[in-house]
Amino acid sequence: MRFRPPSVRARLTLWHAAVLTLIVCIFSAGILLFLHARLYAALDAQLEREIATIGKVYREEPEELKNLASEWGITLFRVDDAGGVRQQTEAWEREGLSRALQIGDSASPLSWTASDGRRYRVHSISEPSYRVAAAIEETSLRDTLWTLAVILAMGIPFAAGLAVAGGYFLAGRVLSPVGAMAQKAREITAESLAKRLPVDNARDEFGQLATVFNDTLSRLQDAFERLRRFTADASHELRTPLTAMRSVGEVALQNRFDAVTYRDVIGSMLEEVDRLTRLVESLLILTRADSGKVQLAPEDLDVGGLAGHVVDQLRVLADEKQQALALRAPIPVYARADAALIRHALMNLIHNAIKYTPNGGTITVEVNATGGQAKIEVRDTGPGIPAAHRDRIFDRFYRVDTGRSREEGGVGLGLAIARWAVEANGGHIELASDGKAGSLFRVILPPTGKSFALGKG
Ligand code: ADP
């Protein structure tokens, strides 16, 4: 099983310490190698110089060779010529440095260890008539390098310890906003959705996270608020017809009425049942819409034909109010949409127009094309909707004139359903009138994507 430190802080600390220790190791090794190369280069250069001096003295004043140690401080050398060993220092002989020369007459200096453990850097240069060999003790140089290596090696655990402590401290500081956020988030419940996470710096990563979380909270709060309002409104709407039925029933029970009056009582109770049924159906549609489970069946829809069907279905209601209900569809228009949903939306719009337009008014449904899209307009000569209500008219249970709407049997959900039906199909619905002369609702539907988008033939 892979070891995994439990907290982000521990993980950050370990990574920090590991990377830092690795850097210190590489750095230390680099220093050692560099220093080793530089010191040996300097030693070799000195050796070269000494050999050159010895060679010069041998060639020019060979008698002076024995004074080299005292005059020049060159204590380890040997000169050979045709007659054998011409001169060698006492120290050279004592340390047996000639053995180093037997290892090989290498072109470059080499390190050699004497029997007493001392280390020497040895080099020789052969000329046609003589050979000069010299050595310098390198023990102190090696000691220096060794001491440095020990210091660096001892420093590494110390640096690692510091890295762990520093990393732990830094990670703690960096992660402290997360702790604060978690603490605050724990306090947020469905009842306290108004609370928000603290944002220290909105531009850093944690600030961005907290901002996104806060945005989500705002949306949740809105959704909760809408749900709460919807439930309250729905309960209120359900209670009204139930209360009406109860009081009508109680009055009928308490009194003795003739058969005609009882029929009226039953009639008015059935009206309330109708209203309840419509309300429950609308609520069901909206609940399904909210759950996002409605399966759309988009098709290439003959918009004019569909509007014609709805107009024909509702004509009887318009006739009852002596209203003129006309359909204008100058060109065939097609849209890509779910027929049942669009029918529902048109039904609600035209039904509203009939409901709220006084007797003798005019309702016109016009189907046309605009910018490659299908356009349906439902216009009436009714009281219109004041501009102040324009933004909220599609809200659930929103009514301009509650009393009037109830009287007409409305439940305040027709436009909300119409909007959902249109938008679910990728369309757009708006109240286009300014409330001065009747109402004008406009629906725009997406094109079919085929060549007959605007009109077939
Ligand atoms: P309702 O079931 O009450 O008709 P809707 O959602 O269909 O609910 O409409 C919301 C409100 O908008 C209505 O209560 C009414 O006040 C107003 N309204 C809708 N259509 C029209 C219209 N054509 N003319 C005037 N007012 C309208």
Side-chain angles (χ1 to χ4, degrees):
M1 209 179 73
R2 231 177 97 211
F3 169 69
R4 214 178 153 73
S7 68
V8 175
R9 188 177 188 181
R11 279 208 289 280
L12 274 179
T13 306
L14 284 186
W15 272 107
H16 177 259
V19 170
L20 221 70
T21 309
L22 188 71
I23 291 173
V24 171
C25 286
I26 293 173
F27 189 68
S28 305
I31 286 184
L32 268 180
L33 285 176
F34 176 75
L35 220 64
H36 183 277
R38 286 301 296 264
L39 290 178
Y40 270 92
L43 196 68
D44 292 347
Q46 191 188 340
L47 205 53
E48 294 280 343
R49 278 197 304 277
E50 287 188 1
I51 288 176
T53 308
I54 298 164
K56 191 163 177 261
V57 170
Y58 169 73
R59 283 191 310 273
E60 293 171 3
E61 300 164 87
E63 294 314 311
E64 287 296 312
L65 277 176
K66 54 185 177 301
N67 300 328
L68 268 176
S70 54
E71 283 180 21
W72 297 84
I74 303 172
T75 53
L76 294 165
F77 72 90
R78 167 181 154 169
V79 180
D80 299 329
D81 58 16
V85 178
R86 173 69 193 268
Q87 178 79 38
Q88 71 178 341
T89 58
E90 187 259 327
W92 177 279
E93 210 177 342
R94 190 180 63 239
E95 289 296 311
L97 275 159
S98 295
R99 285 206 303 277
L101 297 178
Q102 288 157 12
I103 295 173
D105 201 4
S106 98
S108 52
L110 53 88
S111 294
W112 183 78
T113 313
S115 50
D116 60 2
R118 292 184 192 216
R119 298 269 306 188
Y120 292 94
R121 194 75 173 157
V122 187
H123 190 33
S124 68
I125 286 180
S126 299
E127 297 296 338
S129 57
Y130 65 95
R131 185 176 78 162
V132 177
I136 299 177
E137 192 179 346
E138 62 172 46
T139 313
S140 66
L141 183 149
R142 288 185 72 85
D143 283 352
T144 308
L145 282 176
W146 181 245
T147 311
L148 183 70
V150 170
I151 291 174
L152 288 174
M154 276 183 350
I156 288 171
F158 185 68
L162 264 183
V164 169
Y168 193 71
F169 173 73
L170 272 182
R173 279 201 64 137
V174 168
L175 293 173
S176 67
V178 180
M181 277 196 278
Q183 176 65 30
K184 196 80 190 165
R186 236 174 260 129
E187 292 169 12
I188 298 174
T189 62
E191 284 72 41
S192 58
L193 278 176
K195 288 187 182 168
R196 294 288 176 270
L197 297 189
V199 182
D200 286 344
N201 177 2
R203 275 175 308 175
D204 71 12
E205 286 80 352
F206 295 133
Q208 286 173 17
L209 180 71
T211 309
V212 170
F213 197 81
N214 283 343
D215 290 347
T216 310
L217 275 178
S218 298
R219 284 199 297 277
L220 261 181
Q221 191 186 6
D222 284 352
F224 260 70
E225 184 52 31
R226 268 202 309 276
L227 192 69
R228 199 191 55 70
R229 229 181 10 243
F230 183 64
T231 316
D233 288 343
S235 320
H236 180 72
E237 292 299 327
L238 285 168
R239 207 175 49 200
T240 312
L242 288 173
T243 314
M245 276 198 286
R246 172 179 218 141
S247 48
V248 170
E250 278 173 357
V251 170
L253 271 182
Q254 280 161 15
N255 299 288
R256 278 184 174 276
F257 291 127
D258 55 19
V260 179
T261 315
Y262 278 129
R263 284 182 72 88
D264 284 350
V265 168
I266 294 172
S268 81
M269 283 175 119
L270 283 180
E271 253 176 45
E272 295 300 335
V273 170
D274 266 357
R275 184 202 289 272
L276 269 178
T277 311
R278 273 200 308 281
L279 177 59
V280 170
E281 273 168 4
S282 300
L283 286 175
L284 271 178
I285 292 175
L286 284 172
T287 313
R288 280 178 55 224
D290 285 348
S291 72
K293 286 192 187 131
V294 177
Q295 285 285 330
L296 294 187
E299 57 181 280
D300 292 334
L301 191 64
D302 171 5
V303 183
L306 182 84
H309 276 129
V310 177
V311 165
D312 288 345
Q313 255 186 303
L314 294 176
R315 189 173 298 287
V316 56
L317 297 179
D319 288 348
E320 270 178 22
K321 294 178 79 175
Q322 297 91 46
Q323 293 165 332
L325 174 58
L327 169 71
R328 277 215 295 268
I331 52 166
V333 175
Y334 288 82
R336 185 84 194 151
D338 182 307
L341 288 191
I342 300 304
R343 167 193 286 275
H344 207 123
L346 286 185
M347 203 73 154
N348 288 0
L349 289 180
I350 302 171
H351 194 198
N352 273 355
I354 297 171
K355 264 194 313 194
Y356 297 111
T357 301
N359 287 7
T362 304
I363 293 123
T364 317
V365 180
E366 185 174 334
V367 178
N368 219 318
T370 175
Q373 293 174 307
K375 176 177 79 172
I376 313 162
E377 288 185 339
V378 179
R379 190 188 299 270
D380 65 49
T381 55
I385 298 168
H389 299 276
R390 185 188 299 238
D391 291 341
R392 303 206 49 202
I393 199 74
F394 293 98
D395 287 356
R396 297 169 184 192
F397 298 112
Y398 189 80
R399 296 164 168 122
V400 176
D401 177 348
T402 312
R404 171 100 203 281
S405 172
R406 278 231 174 81
E407 237 169 65
E408 298 291 350
V411 293
L413 293 175
L415 288 181
I417 292 176
R419 178 171 67 176
W420 163 72
V422 170
E423 289 180 353
N425 280 290
H428 172 71
I429 185 168
E430 63 181 357
L431 171 63
S433 55
D434 57 8
K436 287 192 183 112
S439 307
L440 168 59
F441 284 93
R442 183 176 297 137
V443 173
I444 305 287
L445 291 176
T448 59
K450 292 190 186 166
S451 55
F452 53 75
L454 294 184
K456 238 182 191 171

